[in-house]
Amino acid sequence: MKALQQITVLGSTGSIGVSSLDVIARHPESFAVFALTAHRQVDLLIHQCLVHRPLYAVIGDAEQAANARHALRAHGLNTQILTGPQGLIDVAGASDVDIVIAAIVGAAGLRPTMAGVQAGKRILLANKESLVMAGGLFMQQVATHNATLLPVDSEHNAIFQCLPTGSTSLEKAGVKRLLLTGSGGPFRTTPLDQLAGVTPEEACAHPNWSMGRKISVDSATMMNKGLEYIEACWLFGARPEQIQILLHPQSIVHSMVEYTDGSVLAQLGVPDMRTPIAHCLAWPARAASGVPSLDFLNMPPLEFSPPSEERFPCLNLAVASFKAGGTCPAALNAANEVAVDAFLAGSLTFTQIAEVVDNVMQTWQNSEPTSLDAVECADREARLSARKHIQQFAGHPLT
Ligand code: NAD
Ligand code: MG
């Protein structure tokens, strides 16, 4: 292994991106930043460039890229600015890169993450939507290109840590079940008849984790746990019935593995994404993350309960989409992204998010995707369908 690992952080201005750069900066002897990318937060990206001095930075919008070029030159920095989706693909697959941190939110992360996979990189996967949309193709490409796929998502990172090193099959490892924990979000105990009236700000105020707005809403609906269920099936080769979801409001046990002999291994820690990020960066070694110790003497009691189907309909929708297979999970993901955007923009109520996704799934024409193009075609179709349903909710049905 090279002394200095070169890292591309896709989505460096987001919650995971910022946490990743925090960990990277703690280990200048091991890691250097090759490229950073942002969609719109150009000021933050420029600041990150000044601190981490990457060779490349990618900005979504061409006009903003021109301004960023001027700003960086004024600071005497040689970082080259690229733009658009091709820029993301180029910095993920570049030959000098060792590690790609896939931290773009949503379907936009699929192509650049796949570019890193196809270039055989070590992929630190936060963008769970890639696996939800195209799990079969994604895992196939990981094997074909000998990429190293490490889960950043805290639950999957916990399970990965509780499995034997190098484990390729749950059966061979003697695993009975994977126990996926979730906090239940900010509305775990809100009276059901008040859920339709909750605001985006309330939905984004997660009790334990500080995250981007889309995943915060997903946590409030528990669609996030549904997406994670699908993610776990692909990552660990689990059958749907091998995964149990548990509500665990304290977010201290990040997930568990139950073995056939009755042993249950858990990974615990303060809820801070720098722990799984540091674990993946240093794996199979360990590295300091800046996360404080878990204080067992001043910890709330650890509680576990089953999630309510009535309160969290998105959970069942996600599980059903995985069981249906084909393009269903990609359609579910796309419908959810559109519905969450509409909720955040104030044009849909919180409870209508699940209704939109359900309506899209009810009429979905399923097929087996054989390429990323086919997955993206399904993604576009499901977005159209979701927008039609949203207009109907708003009282303006499309003809
Ligand atoms: P965020 O909204 O804070 O950041 C998203 C990043 O993606 C930003 O850098 C943004 O510039 C970039 N981005 C957004 N749209 C883009 C587009 N169309 N093209 C290119 N770049 C785009 O999100 P986050 O909370 O950091 O989450 C990132 C991913 O990590 C998500 O897939 C999420 O599910 C996953 N994840 C997040 C957490 C967490 O604690 N935040 C935990 C587990 C998994
Ligand atoms: Mg998670």
Side-chain angles (χ1 to χ4, degrees):
M1 200 195 274
K2 286 193 287 186
L4 207 55
Q5 300 278 292
Q6 297 287 337
I7 305 180
T8 284
V9 186
L10 298 170
S12 63
T13 53
S15 165
I16 292 288
V18 168
S19 294
S20 299
L21 289 176
D22 180 282
V23 179
I24 289 167
R26 291 167 194 275
H27 304 282
E29 71 296 345
S30 304
F31 305 118
V33 176
F34 179 84
L36 298 173
T37 87
H39 194 42
R40 292 208 181 94
Q41 278 184 284
V42 177
D43 290 344
L44 177 54
L45 184 76
I46 290 172
H47 170 75
Q48 292 179 335
C49 287
L50 294 176
V51 175
H52 298 278
R53 310 183 79 80
L55 281 177
Y56 294 95
V58 186
I59 295 173
D61 179 68
E63 199 175 310
Q64 285 190 312
N67 297 337
R69 267 186 208 108
H70 288 304
L72 289 181
R73 241 179 268 138
H75 284 95
L77 210 66
N78 289 329
T79 300
Q80 280 194 48
I81 306 276
L82 310 178
T83 55
Q86 188 58 45
L88 298 173
I89 289 171
D90 290 346
V91 296
S95 58
D96 286 342
V97 171
D98 302 292
I99 298 173
V100 175
I101 303 185
I104 289 174
V105 62
L110 175 59
R111 288 275 178 180
T113 306
M114 196 64 119
V117 167
Q118 290 171 337
K121 308 297 184 195
R122 176 188 284 224
I123 308 290
L124 274 53
L125 187 74
N127 178 251
K128 63 193 85 183
E129 294 90 346
S130 293
L131 273 184
V132 171
M133 293 173 73
L137 294 168
F138 194 96
M139 296 308 288
Q140 223 174 52
Q141 294 293 299
V142 167
T144 304
H145 297 280
N146 210 14
T148 305
L149 184 60
L150 299 173
V152 166
D153 212 349
S154 57
E155 297 77 3
H156 307 74
N157 184 268
I159 291 169
F160 182 71
Q161 292 199 46
C162 295
L163 288 172
T165 307
S167 150
T168 52
S169 138
L170 294 183
E171 271 64 39
K172 282 190 200 144
V175 172
K176 187 169 174 192
R177 287 190 306 170
L178 305 180
L179 303 161
L180 204 58
T181 56
S183 71
F187 308 133
R188 186 176 50 87
T189 57
T190 304
L192 287 178
D193 60 0
Q194 289 176 20
L195 283 181
V198 300
T199 65
E201 278 57 46
E202 289 167 331
C204 289
H206 196 279
N208 307 333
W209 298 95
S210 158
M211 308 181 285
R213 283 168 80 76
K214 190 257 179 186
I215 186 176
S216 294
V217 176
D218 284 353
S219 298
T221 60
M222 282 195 89
M223 178 59 93
N224 184 49
K225 211 50 55 185
L227 302 180
E228 291 184 354
Y229 174 98
I230 299 173
E231 185 185 8
C233 287
W234 286 117
L235 277 175
F236 304 115
R239 294 189 308 276
E241 66 278 10
Q242 277 181 305
I243 300 181
Q244 183 179 7
I245 294 173
L246 292 171
L247 280 190
H248 167 49
Q250 294 76 30
S251 299
I252 287 174
V253 174
H254 297 308
S255 278
M256 300 177 267
V257 176
E258 180 185 337
Y259 287 88
T260 44
D261 62 6
S263 299
V264 179
L265 301 193
Q267 188 258 355
L268 284 71
V270 170
D272 186 322
M273 290 306 292
R274 289 177 300 172
T275 294
I277 291 166
H279 174 258
C280 293
L281 278 171
W283 183 85
R286 295 274 175 176
S289 64
V291 176
S293 295
L294 191 56
D295 183 353
F296 279 89
L297 302 181
N298 289 293
M299 201 164 76
L302 301 182
E303 300 166 309
F304 300 92
S305 59
S308 144
E309 287 184 19
E310 198 185 0
R311 181 178 295 277
F312 301 115
C314 284
L315 204 46
N316 274 351
L317 289 171
V319 171
S321 83
F322 182 74
K323 289 181 178 164
T327 52
C328 269
L332 170 108
N333 179 67
N336 180 57
E337 284 190 26
V338 171
V340 169
D341 272 352
F343 168 67
L344 287 172
S347 42
L348 201 66
T349 68
F350 181 75
T351 43
Q352 283 173 336
I353 296 173
E355 289 180 48
V356 168
V357 176
D358 193 12
N359 287 349
V360 171
M361 301 317 290
Q362 295 282 345
T363 52
W364 187 250
Q365 298 290 313
N366 203 10
S367 61
E368 197 54 50
T370 51
S371 66
L372 280 197
D373 285 343
V375 171
E376 285 180 339
C377 183
D379 175 272
R380 281 192 298 274
E381 250 180 69
R383 280 170 201 269
L384 276 179
S385 169
R387 287 193 190 104
K388 282 185 195 168
H389 288 296
I390 290 170
Q391 281 178 315
Q392 278 167 352
F393 278 131
H396 310 294
L398 285 185
T399 48

